[in-house]
């Protein structure tokens, strides 16, 4: 099965990268952007069959390595074979 | 006084870290109960960090004056005269706790803070150094901390564009739950262009400049639980995140505004943020200040006056601007894409008056927050554990069977082994002033446009301080000065970073008091003033304090940059000399820590007169062009110093050395003692060197010759060590790398 992990900065944490991108967009004339924050997506192919079990392991991966729990939050999405992505 | 504020009670004051007596004193000073915002101001300004309430009585002992001191302690940084119209600004600070919580950002914002301390004085930062302490590198948690801290330091410094030219990394189990991240910065300023953190001139506008304010780093202890209940998650204070590119723009904007003469006074919004600036700046100038918080640029909604005053968002400064020059300041900061907003003005009534949307939320005499903060003289007690530790005789342990194996183990000890993995991540040369890169006794930087150079170093041997805080701290000063002497520099000034456990424990406060006494004594004997510094208390986890770690940062001057000298042997045929006394001990040594996992015994005594003479002799030999290398013998004793001199340079070279026996061979090879320097002397200079040492009246002797592909150490005629350069280089290069590489 496939999985997608979204990692983003917690609300209130300063995001210099997001600020820089917003400023660059403004420079190109996109003045409607009021706020912009940058996160990251990890796409994975898993050798697993039980979605609940897989989700548990993915969350563990996030806590231990993929996200920094002090500054970041994460969501895990499982893409079951042939199915639509399901938000954890 | 705003509707949402919790009611101020004694319990709330206690939750802010204030004592009942302190709360009574606040009521007495105000003549009423404080508002919630005022309580926040007092708790921040009367904290140990801002008020030095447990340390002040001891710090007064430090010698801070000398003819070349232009600014002593009490400002953002200290300043000494370099001649030719130049002055050197220096300061060191700790960021221990933030680095433990979030190593990357904690260390990065530590660098950001110390850079701002330097450029608020009007100086351009030219170099940083970092002094780091960690627990056992075998532990994965320690390796995680090392990785985060080192990349945080390199990220911020490299992006900002300041070279990192030195420092130290040491390991001991006592730092497991409390690593130390101390960062030092030096900067250059014309001596007639120095700025200070003073709010002079009643009526002058007060400008907020730099990044926007968020709920960053509002101190955990000062956030009462009552505040959390309604706003839930999004009101929680967050970890401070650094933005080095904004800092770089802030530097350029501040220096530009200062150069034009529009700036009257300036202070970094660091610890306790706006609260600290808006009270300390008027307090120093005998004025008052009023601010309107609704004008403060914010990046989050719904921030309360309390939060705005106490936020520790990074890359912000408070400026007092000359009346009539407001537009000039706005234009300069707009050019650098930074906010510059007039948020208040300097008043003559000695009060800090804080308003939010016109409504008064705090009105306090600035002196009540600063000068009248409590000062304590708490009891000290010599720790009971010292007697048993001193009673231990290292020579009661058996001699090692194999001296070669013992030397290789010492060279591979993480504290001694090469830290190239750390400093190769730092930009060492940006600004093209660096003449001696990290990896020698001190970093050396040229002063462009002159023939001079400065040398900088940080030092502390916490094991010696633990066993004898007075002598151990004096030794840290002596060793820092010795490192500068080995580089060819004359010491100018000290900035210290004093890392200790809780001062409320009499044993810890005794360590602190003794350490201050030691620093004072050594600085007096070596005639080096202390011009700035930082105290970091409460470095403990679950009642276990760190080793007492007073880190000494020192800067010195080379009148001729050509005098600069490095620690490694240069050419075969050079004679090797040891300058300094024979008094050494295995007490508190690296040898005992590595081979016997023991911290005990008595370190060798320090004679400050001998120390001064040895350093003067080394410097005289360097200035006369008589030595090719000079290296201080510290952790690991003479054998390690000799091995490092063979292999730490660009090209390894061997040495054959014969040492007089000091009793047992382990004492001779690995015993540690102060005031010892290994130099190499080219044959042409040998006679001149001999007569110079005679004139200097210091103990010294030739002990061997540089050359060959091996390090051979003989004692009393028998060969104890004969190792190939590859063998010793391998141990030394991989000893630390194997944990992190």
């Amino acid at each position: 099965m496939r999985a997608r992990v979204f990692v983003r900065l917690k609300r209130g944490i300063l995001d210099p990268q997001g600020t820089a991108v917003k400023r660059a967009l403004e420079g190109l004339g996109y003045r409607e952007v009021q706020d912009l924050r940058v996160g990251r997506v990890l796409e994975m192919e898993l050798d697993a069959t039980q979605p609940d079990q897989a989700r548990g392991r993915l969350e563990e991966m996030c806590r231990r390595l993929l996200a920094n729990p002090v500054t970041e939050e994460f969501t895990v999405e499982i893409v079951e074979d042939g199915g639509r992505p399901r938000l954890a | 006084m705003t509707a949402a504020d919790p009611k101020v009670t004694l319990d709330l004051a206690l939750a802010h870290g204030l004592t009942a007596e302190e709360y009574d004193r606040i009521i007495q000073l105000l003549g009423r109960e404080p508002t919630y915002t005022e309580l926040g101001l007092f708790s921040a300004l009367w904290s140990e960090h801002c008020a030095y309430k447990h340390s002040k009585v001891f710090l007064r002992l430090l010698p801070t004056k000398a003819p070349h001191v232009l600014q002593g302690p009490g400002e953002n940084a200290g300043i000494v005269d370099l001649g030719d119209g130049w002055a050197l600004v220096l300061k060191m600070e700790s960021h221990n706790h933030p680095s433990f919580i979030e190593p990357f950002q904690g260390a990065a914002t530590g660098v950001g803070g110390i850079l701002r301390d330097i450029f608020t004085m009007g100086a351009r930062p030219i170099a940083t150094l970092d002094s780091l302490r960690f627990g056992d590198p075998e532990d994965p948690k320690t390796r995680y901390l090392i990785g985060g801290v080192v990349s945080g330091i390199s990220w911020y410094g490299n992006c900002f564009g300041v070279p990192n030219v030195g420092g130290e990394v040491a390991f001991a189990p006592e730092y497991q739950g409390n690593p130390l991240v101390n960062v030092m910065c030096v900067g250059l300023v014309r001596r007639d262009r120095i700025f200070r953190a003073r709010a002079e001139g009643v009526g002058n506008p007060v400008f907020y400049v730099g990044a926007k304010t968020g709920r960053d780093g509002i101190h955990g202890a000062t956030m009462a639980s009552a505040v959390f209940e309604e706003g839930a998650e999004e009101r929680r204070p967050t970890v401070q995140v650094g933005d080095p590119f904004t800092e770089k723009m802030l530097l350029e904007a501040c220096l530009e505004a200062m150069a034009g003469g529009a700036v009257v006074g300036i202070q970094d919004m660091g610890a306790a943020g706006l609260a600290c600036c808006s009270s300390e700046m008027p307090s120093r100038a005998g004025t008052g200040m009023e601010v309107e918080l609704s004008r403060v640029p914010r990046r989050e909604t719904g921030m309360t006056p309390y939060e705005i005053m106490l936020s520790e968002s990074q890359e912000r400064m408070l400026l007092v601007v000359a009346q009539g020059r407001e537009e000039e300041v706005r234009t300069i900061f707009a050019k650098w894409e930074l906010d510059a907003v007039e948020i208040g003005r300097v008043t003559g009534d000695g009060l800090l008056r804080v308003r939010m949307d016109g409504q008064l939320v705090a009105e306090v005499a600035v002196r009540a927050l600063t000068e009248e903060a409590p000062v304590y003289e708490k009891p000290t007690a010599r720790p009971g554990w010292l007697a048993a530790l001193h009673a231990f005789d290292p020579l009661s342990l058996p001699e090692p069977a194999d001296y070669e194996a013992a030397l290789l183990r010492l060279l591979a000890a993480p504290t001694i082994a090469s830290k190239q993995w750390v400093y190769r991540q730092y930009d060492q040369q940006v600004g093209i002033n660096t003449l001696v890169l990290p990896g020698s006794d001190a970093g050396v930087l040229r002063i462009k446009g002159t023939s001079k150079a400065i040398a900088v170093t940080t030092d502390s041997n916490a094991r010696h301080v633990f066993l004898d805080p007075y002598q151990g701290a004096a030794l840290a000063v002596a060793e820092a000065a010795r490192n500068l002497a080995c580089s060819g520099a004359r010491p100018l000034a000290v900035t210290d970073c004093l890392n200790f456990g809780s001062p409320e424990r009499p044993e810890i406060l005794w360590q602190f008091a003794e350490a201050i006494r030691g620093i004072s004594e050594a600085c007096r004997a070596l005639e080096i003033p202390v011009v700035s510094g930082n105290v970091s208390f409460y470095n403990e986890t679950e009642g276990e304090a760190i080793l007492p770690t007073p880190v000494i940062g020192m800067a010195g001057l080379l009148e001729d940059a050509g005098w600069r000298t490095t620690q490694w042997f240069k050419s075969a045929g050079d004679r090797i000399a040891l300058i300094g006394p024979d008094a050494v001990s295995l007490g508190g040594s690296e040898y005992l820590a590595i081979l016997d996992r023991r911290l005990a015994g008595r370190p060798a005594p320090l004679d400050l007169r001998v120390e001064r003479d040895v350093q003067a002799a080394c410097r005289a030999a360097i200035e006369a062009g008589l030595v090719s290398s000079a290296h201080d013998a510290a952790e690991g004793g003479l054998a390690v110093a000799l091995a490092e001199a063979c292999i730490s340079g660009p090209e390894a070279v061997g040495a054959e050395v014969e040492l007089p026996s000091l009793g047992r061979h382990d004492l001779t090879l690995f015993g540690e003692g102060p005031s010892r320097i290994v130099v190499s002397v080219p044959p042409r200079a040998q006679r001149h060197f001999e007569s110079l040492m005679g004139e200097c009246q210091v103990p010294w002797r030739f002990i061997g010759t540089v050359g060959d592909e091996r390090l051979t150490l003989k004692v009393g005629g028998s060969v104890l060590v004969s190792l190939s350069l590859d063998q010793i280089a391998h141990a030394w290069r991989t000893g630390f790398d194997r944990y992190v590489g």
Side-chain angles (χ1 to χ4, degrees):
Chain A
M1 76 182 55
R2 281 183 296 148
R4 234 175 260 154
V5 174
F6 296 88
V7 182
R8 52 177 76 89
L9 287 170
K10 287 180 181 171
R11 206 182 330 174
I13 294 264
L14 177 69
D15 180 8
Q17 192 184 355
T19 310
V21 174
K22 175 173 173 280
R23 186 168 284 164
L25 286 172
E26 277 169 9
L28 292 172
Y30 298 101
R31 298 186 186 279
E32 67 269 38
V33 182
Q34 293 301 300
D35 191 24
L36 188 157
R37 294 176 73 74
V38 176
R40 60 186 181 278
V41 181
L42 296 99
E43 294 185 320
M44 290 181 240
E45 195 67 47
L46 302 177
D47 178 11
T49 49
Q50 299 292 321
D52 288 344
Q53 208 180 1
R55 183 170 296 114
R57 304 235 337 141
L58 284 164
E59 285 170 357
E60 189 185 307
M61 291 178 213
C62 287
R63 282 191 300 270
R64 294 187 62 188
L65 182 70
L66 304 179
N68 176 350
V70 180
T71 55
E72 294 172 326
E73 58 191 22
F74 56 84
T75 49
V76 169
E77 221 176 59
I78 302 273
V79 191
E80 283 171 77
D81 291 329
R84 290 160 54 86
R86 215 174 63 180
L87 216 60
Chain B
M1 284 189 241
T2 59
D5 285 347
K7 185 174 161 40
V8 176
T9 61
L10 175 60
D11 282 346
L12 191 60
L14 295 176
H16 273 69
L18 293 162
T19 66
E21 295 74 39
E22 287 169 349
Y23 185 58
D24 283 344
R25 185 160 168 184
I26 292 169
I27 293 174
Q28 208 181 356
L29 283 166
L30 290 172
R32 58 176 166 80
E33 299 264 330
T35 66
Y36 183 55
T37 305
E38 287 167 346
L39 181 68
L41 295 178
F42 276 104
S43 76
L45 271 295
W46 284 15
S47 69
E48 186 61 46
H49 191 95
C50 293
Y52 292 90
K53 57 189 173 186
H54 288 97
S55 56
K56 218 174 204 166
V57 293
F58 303 105
L59 295 173
R60 284 179 189 139
L61 278 177
L62 295 170
T64 59
K65 293 193 170 64
H68 64 284
V69 173
L70 301 177
Q71 178 64 58
E75 270 283 343
N76 281 310
I79 309 182
V80 286
D81 197 351
L82 294 173
D84 297 331
W86 287 105
L88 187 75
V89 183
L90 67 159
K91 174 76 183 268
M92 180 157 42
E93 233 171 36
S94 62
H95 232 213
N96 306 337
H97 190 61
S99 301
F100 185 58
I101 295 175
E102 182 5 61
F104 182 92
Q105 289 297 343
T109 52
V111 177
I114 199 70
L115 290 168
R116 287 193 299 283
D117 279 339
I118 299 305
F119 70 80
T120 54
M121 308 300 295
R124 183 173 287 276
I126 56 164
T128 60
L129 301 92
D130 50 284
S131 177
L132 312 176
R133 297 290 183 285
F134 298 102
D136 185 353
E138 290 281 356
D139 187 319
K141 170 79 180 175
T142 301
R143 297 203 292 269
Y144 162 76
L145 289 171
I146 295 170
V149 165
V150 171
S151 51
I153 291 172
S154 79
W155 173 68
Y156 205 101
N158 294 2
C159 289
F160 177 86
V162 64
N164 189 309
V165 301
E168 34 165 11
V169 191
F171 302 86
E174 290 82 358
Y175 301 108
Q176 194 69 27
N178 203 313
L180 302 185
V181 176
N182 293 181
V183 192
M184 173 174 165
C185 184
V186 293
L188 277 180
V189 63
R190 297 299 296 175
R191 64 164 292 179
D192 57 353
R193 311 293 312 196
I194 292 168
F195 284 79
R196 292 188 169 83
R198 297 166 65 91
E200 306 272 7
V202 174
N204 276 336
V206 173
F207 269 72
Y208 170 112
V209 302
K212 295 187 196 314
T213 297
R215 290 189 178 89
D216 311 346
I218 297 170
H219 196 271
T222 68
M223 285 298 282
S225 54
V227 188
F228 285 131
E229 281 164 14
E230 57 186 289
E233 187 66 20
E234 68 270 20
R235 298 202 53 173
R236 212 167 278 274
T238 54
V239 170
Q240 297 141 281
V241 170
D243 181 353
F245 296 110
T246 297
E247 178 108 329
K248 167 70 173 166
M249 295 197 284
L250 187 61
L251 162 77
E252 300 300 341
C254 286
L255 293 185
E256 192 175 330
M258 288 166 167
V263 178
V264 173
I266 174 168
Q267 184 167 342
D268 163 38
M269 282 194 252
L274 186 52
C276 196
C277 287
S278 61
S279 45
E280 287 184 358
M281 290 182 75
S283 175
R284 290 194 191 98
T287 55
M289 190 177 282
E290 54 182 29
V291 292
E292 168 55 60
L293 297 183
S294 62
R295 296 193 200 145
V296 169
R298 282 155 285 171
R299 59 166 213 271
E300 293 184 68
T301 54
M303 289 187 71
T304 65
Y306 177 102
E307 290 170 326
I308 297 169
M309 289 302 283
L310 294 183
S311 163
E312 296 188 0
S313 290
Q314 300 288 297
E315 293 94 21
R316 307 177 304 157
M317 296 271 194
L318 200 67
L319 261 58
V320 172
V321 171
Q323 215 166 355
R325 313 277 301 259
E326 295 86 346
E327 210 39 54
E328 191 180 325
V329 169
R330 282 192 199 98
T331 309
I332 290 169
F333 280 83
K335 181 179 104 184
W336 295 100
E337 301 181 351
L338 293 168
D339 282 319
V341 182
E342 186 178 336
I343 63 163
R345 62 186 188 93
V346 178
T347 62
D349 60 9
L351 294 177
L352 168 62
R353 218 177 274 114
V354 183
R355 291 192 178 83
M356 181 76 167
D357 297 313
Q359 196 188 348
L360 196 64
V361 294
E363 187 177 65
V364 198
V366 293
R367 289 182 55 87
L369 292 166
T370 55
E371 308 280 300
E372 286 163 43
V375 173
Y376 298 124
E377 194 162 359
K378 287 284 171 79
T380 64
R382 186 188 164 87
W385 61 71
L386 283 181
L389 293 176
H390 287 166
F392 173 76
D393 177 9
L395 297 179
S396 64
L397 297 171
E399 256 190 271
D402 181 345
Y403 276 98
E404 291 179 349
L407 176 58
L408 291 174
R409 274 188 71 184
L410 271 176
L411 287 170
T415 295
I416 288 178
S418 167
K419 303 304 183 308
Q420 204 182 10
W421 180 89
V422 173
Y423 58 75
R424 76 173 175 218
Q425 299 186 46
Y426 303 146
D427 192 325
Q428 304 158 16
Q429 301 189 70
V430 58
I432 55 164
N433 293 318
T434 317
L435 298 174
V436 176
L437 304 177
S440 194
D441 279 345
V444 180
L445 298 126
R446 86 177 103 231
I447 305 171
K448 280 196 196 102
T450 75
S451 59
K452 298 175 178 177
I454 60 149
V456 281
T457 186
T458 67
D459 267 297
S460 187
N461 184 330
R463 274 198 302 268
H464 288 180
V465 181
F466 177 71
L467 293 172
D468 183 346
Y470 168 74
Q471 188 185 288
L475 195 69
V477 174
E479 192 177 332
R482 206 180 314 133
N483 283 337
L484 295 188
C486 288
S487 305
R490 192 174 299 276
L492 283 177
V494 161
T495 177
D496 55 15
C497 197
L498 309 170
N499 308 272
F500 288 80
S502 166
E504 292 163 47
R505 289 164 59 194
E507 291 85 359
I508 302 289
L509 198 60
W510 181 83
Q511 291 178 334
F512 182 78
E514 285 289 287
I516 293 288
R517 206 164 64 77
I519 294 171
S520 304
E521 192 69 24
C523 283
R524 284 204 172 82
L526 302 173
E527 296 175 53
I528 315 169
V530 178
V531 298
S532 60
N534 169 236
V535 177
S536 172
F537 279 138
Y538 302 102
N539 289 291
E540 10 192 289
T541 311
E542 289 158 16
E544 287 294 311
I546 56 161
L547 293 178
T549 315
V551 177
I552 301 298
M554 200 180 284
L557 181 68
L558 292 90
E559 287 290 340
D560 182 344
W563 291 339
R564 68 184 181 275
T565 301
T566 47
Q567 69 180 27
W568 45 86
F569 294 144
K570 308 291 185 304
S571 2
D574 282 3
R575 297 292 305 277
I576 302 167
L578 171 66
I579 313 175
D582 284 333
V584 293
S585 164
L586 291 173
S589 66
E590 186 71 24
Y591 171 83
L592 208 56
I594 293 300
L595 277 83
D596 199 47
R597 295 200 161 270
R598 192 191 292 263
L599 169 51
R602 274 185 183 279
L606 167 66
D607 182 332
L608 285 164
R609 195 187 51 80
V610 173
E611 180 72 50
R612 194 188 56 207
D613 293 349
V614 164
Q615 291 182 20
C618 176
R619 218 165 20 236
I622 288 175
E623 290 176 5
L626 306 180
V627 304
S628 318
S629 71
H631 185 27
D632 143 58
E635 285 94 342
L638 205 46
V640 166
L642 288 163
E644 286 172 343
C646 288
I647 55 173
S648 59
E651 274 178 63
V653 55
E656 191 171 331
V657 173
E658 164 105 45
L659 298 169
S661 175
L662 302 179
R664 259 171 54 165
H665 295 331
D666 47 357
L667 189 65
T668 307
L669 292 186
F670 308 123
E672 296 175 14
S675 324
R676 285 150 63 88
I677 296 174
V678 173
V679 298
S680 60
V681 182
R684 59 157 178 84
Q686 192 178 322
R687 294 277 294 279
H688 192 165
F689 180 82
E690 284 170 18
S691 62
L692 179 68
M693 289 302 114
E695 284 166 33
C696 291
Q697 296 189 316
V698 288
W700 78 280
R701 62 166 68 89
F702 281 120
I703 56 170
T705 310
V706 177
D708 217 350
E709 300 290 304
R710 303 184 79 75
L711 172 65
T712 307
L713 301 176
K714 288 190 241 174
V715 178
S718 55
V719 176
L720 294 181
V721 170
S722 176
L723 289 165
S724 75
L725 292 176
D726 284 347
Q727 282 171 296
I728 57 175
H730 178 78
W732 184 70
R733 291 199 188 283
T734 59
F736 172 65
D737 272 23
R738 68 194 144 132
Y739 298 110
V740 288

